[in-house]
Amino acid sequence: MPTQGRAGPGLSDRLLCLALVAVLAFADLWTKDWAFSALPAYGSREILPPILSFTRSENQGIVLGLGSSFGRVFTFTSFAILGVLLWMILRRPMPRAWRLAMAAIASGALGNGLDRLRLGHVR
């Protein structure tokens, strides 16, 4: 990604991205709390068919439960990825759209990392 003549992000861009990470991580955790209180085990609810539905499930591993015995490694990995993404968002020159997309990904890493710390798995 060429960065010729580009300065790092301004304060307003950094604050916007940090706010986006916080808001989206909160929304992630809130919707998971809602799903686990409103849905039966492995039950689903269509919200905007066929675009959005919620299914209650848990994952001890990474994908389809693979690696479930490495939970602590995945917890560390979630926070390591979060750290790298935050460093890139806050310090690296890149287009604003990329920065916002990385903030959305970082919010997922934060939500999943907090789930792993609190519950030992991702919901």
Side-chain angles (χ1 to χ4, degrees):
M1 152 175 60
T3 58
Q4 299 158 248
R6 290 193 150 186
L11 179 61
S12 62
D13 269 0
R14 291 188 300 228
L15 291 175
L16 173 66
C17 288
L18 290 176
L20 184 62
V21 169
V23 167
L24 291 178
F26 173 80
D28 175 60
L29 295 171
W30 182 83
T31 55
K32 290 189 258 189
D33 284 344
W34 169 81
F36 271 72
S37 66
L39 300 174
Y42 300 99
S44 292
R45 181 174 295 167
E46 298 259 341
I47 305 297
L48 293 171
I51 298 168
L52 178 64
S53 66
F54 288 103
T55 301
R56 180 179 164 172
S57 66
E58 298 174 0
N59 188 359
Q60 303 287 333
I62 42 174
V63 176
L64 303 172
L66 295 174
S68 59
S69 61
F70 296 102
R72 291 183 186 186
V73 172
F74 299 140
T75 303
F76 172 78
T77 303
S78 291
F79 287 107
I81 289 169
L82 175 63
V84 169
L85 288 170
L86 288 176
W87 175 80
M88 291 177 71
I89 289 166
L90 297 174
R91 307 300 285 166
R92 301 288 301 164
M94 67 182 76
R96 178 181 276 174
W98 287 25
R99 192 175 315 286
L100 294 174
M102 291 178 82
I105 295 167
S107 72
L110 178 58
N112 287 353
L114 291 173
D115 266 356
R116 288 188 186 281
L117 278 179
R118 287 187 323 157
L119 307 168
H121 59 270
V122 175
R123 302 175 293 165

